[in-house]
Amino acid sequence: MGFFRIVAFIILVQDRTWAVRIRDLIVPKIFELGTDDHILLDCDFEYEASEKYQLDIKWYFNNEPSPFIQWVPGQMSRPQLIDEKFRGHVNLNHSVHADAFMRHRALLLTNPTLDLSGIYTCKVSTFLDEDIRQKKLTIYAPASSISFQQDRFRSGKEVNISCSVEGIYPLPQIKLTWGPYQLDDSEASVTPHEEEGTFNVVVHRVISHDDLPSETLLGCELSIPGTNYLVREESLYRHRGGRFSNPLSQVGPSSSSSSSSSAPSISSASSTTTCFPVTKEKFMSKMVFLFIAASILRQI
């Protein structure tokens, strides 16, 4: 008798495993704001014909306990919107399949906005079974403007390197570079824009001319984590005098501090003159030569 109970249990488990199953959840990983007016999320599932009137399809956003949309094919002609956050952003009439019980399995997000970026979960269930899948959708806004500057102090001994970004989402990674190296200890300030949902970010670093060669390549690298968005600005910086001791060869991550700091008074003019500073050794050699020459002339 026990043997037949085990066999019956195995058959029941197998039947329940294949009763309803999500074959694939199709959600784009990244979406650039403004490139299209809709985003398609497709929850492709299969079910047993005997359970078609039990089907219940729910969509969740960012691990919220309650779904933002629900469709019960046996009772509803189209999905029901539950969360008002998505009103005006879901086409409830969108159809992707001829089967009346799979017709509205997909979600068509319309008029995408930055606050729709997050984790989407599809749950398909019957009285006996359920299957759940989730994927992350990142909606990003590229920078509306980027400014990279090298502003020389009035003293002529230092330069302020700054990279300013406006209208970007989510928070980017900004690196100030010197040749192949990343400049460590840079300072950052972040200004959020609640209405637009974007950020303005400024990253800067003050460098002494003593730490730079007379001609060097300075740059700013901007990227958004999780996307292929990458922008790099570079320019050649020249200055007069100073000794080059190369203390900036340290490589490290840029500062993630969100507190702003006041910068010293600076001028916005950058020198473009190529110069060749005279070292102390060359100067002394020339003075010795002139002294010997003057002594010889006196004897003549």
Side-chain angles (χ1 to χ4, degrees):
M1 191 68 179
F3 172 77
F4 291 106
R5 287 181 179 177
I6 294 174
V7 172
F9 176 77
I10 294 174
I11 293 174
L12 179 62
V13 170
Q14 288 178 340
D15 288 343
R16 290 187 62 186
T17 301
W18 294 102
V20 62
R21 182 175 70 94
I22 297 176
R23 288 183 291 219
D24 194 13
L25 178 60
I26 303 173
V27 176
K29 290 184 179 180
I30 57 174
F31 178 83
E32 182 178 334
L33 193 67
T35 56
D36 209 335
D37 61 358
H38 68 271
I39 307 173
L40 181 65
L41 286 61
D42 191 0
C43 186
D44 182 14
F45 65 90
E46 60 184 17
Y47 63 92
E48 287 289 336
S50 60
E51 294 183 329
K52 63 183 180 181
Y53 288 102
Q54 304 172 18
L55 285 170
D56 186 1
I57 296 95
K58 297 184 179 76
W59 286 89
Y60 298 82
F61 180 65
N62 276 348
N63 298 317
E64 289 290 332
S66 301
F68 66 89
I69 197 167
Q70 180 180 15
W71 180 46
V72 182
Q75 302 176 19
M76 305 174 180
S77 59
R78 68 174 194 170
Q80 175 189 6
L81 187 67
I82 299 173
D83 191 343
E84 289 297 316
K85 171 187 176 71
F86 285 85
R87 187 167 298 281
H89 294 293
V90 178
N91 184 346
L92 299 176
N93 296 313
H94 183 69
S95 175
V96 295
H97 206 283
D99 185 340
F101 293 88
M102 299 181 69
R103 182 174 298 153
H104 300 296
R105 75 184 190 196
L107 197 65
L108 187 68
L109 298 179
T110 58
N111 306 313
T113 53
L114 295 174
D115 59 345
L116 298 184
S117 180
I119 299 173
Y120 287 83
T121 302
C122 175
K123 177 181 177 182
V124 182
S125 60
T126 64
F127 295 161
L128 296 177
D129 300 285
E130 67 178 31
D131 199 4
I132 301 174
R133 297 277 187 93
Q134 66 176 205
K135 286 187 177 180
K136 183 178 181 180
L137 166 66
T138 299
I139 302 176
Y140 73 92
S144 58
S145 69
I146 302 173
S147 175
F148 176 57
Q149 294 181 330
Q150 307 103 42
D151 298 316
R152 179 169 300 162
F153 284 73
R154 292 192 179 96
S155 65
K157 297 180 180 180
E158 294 177 306
V159 58
N160 183 64
I161 307 170
S162 63
C163 189
S164 304
V165 179
E166 294 185 357
I168 197 167
Y169 180 88
L171 276 174
Q173 288 183 347
I174 303 178
K175 301 176 182 178
L176 296 177
T177 59
W178 170 60
Y181 302 108
Q182 177 182 331
L183 294 175
D184 201 0
D185 299 327
S186 56
E187 298 181 4
S189 63
V190 178
T191 305
H193 290 270
E194 295 183 1
E195 294 183 2
E196 300 176 0
T198 59
F199 300 96
N200 290 356
V201 184
V202 179
V203 176
H204 78 97
R205 166 77 186 274
V206 176
I207 303 177
S208 170
H209 283 172
D210 288 344
D211 299 331
L212 292 174
S214 59
E215 180 176 293
T216 189
L217 193 64
L218 300 175
C220 167
E221 184 176 289
L222 168 68
S223 63
I224 297 179
T227 74
N228 55 1
Y229 180 77
L230 177 66
V231 178
R232 183 172 180 80
E233 298 279 344
E234 289 183 324
S235 62
L236 194 63
Y237 180 74
R238 299 184 179 95
H239 69 92
R240 301 176 182 175
R243 58 181 180 81
F244 175 48
S245 56
N246 194 19
L248 298 176
S249 57
Q250 303 175 7
V251 179
S254 57
S255 172
S256 58
S257 170
S258 59
S259 60
S260 60
S261 59
S262 58
S265 175
I266 54 177
S267 63
S268 59
S270 298
S271 173
T272 58
T273 303
T274 304
C275 57
F276 301 91
V278 179
T279 64
K280 182 178 179 180
E281 290 77 7
K282 289 184 178 181
F283 177 78
M284 292 301 296
S285 297
K286 181 176 284 188
M287 291 300 295
V288 170
F289 174 78
L290 291 175
F291 177 77
I292 295 174
S295 300
I296 295 173
L297 289 175
R298 288 195 194 97
Q299 294 177 2
I300 296 175

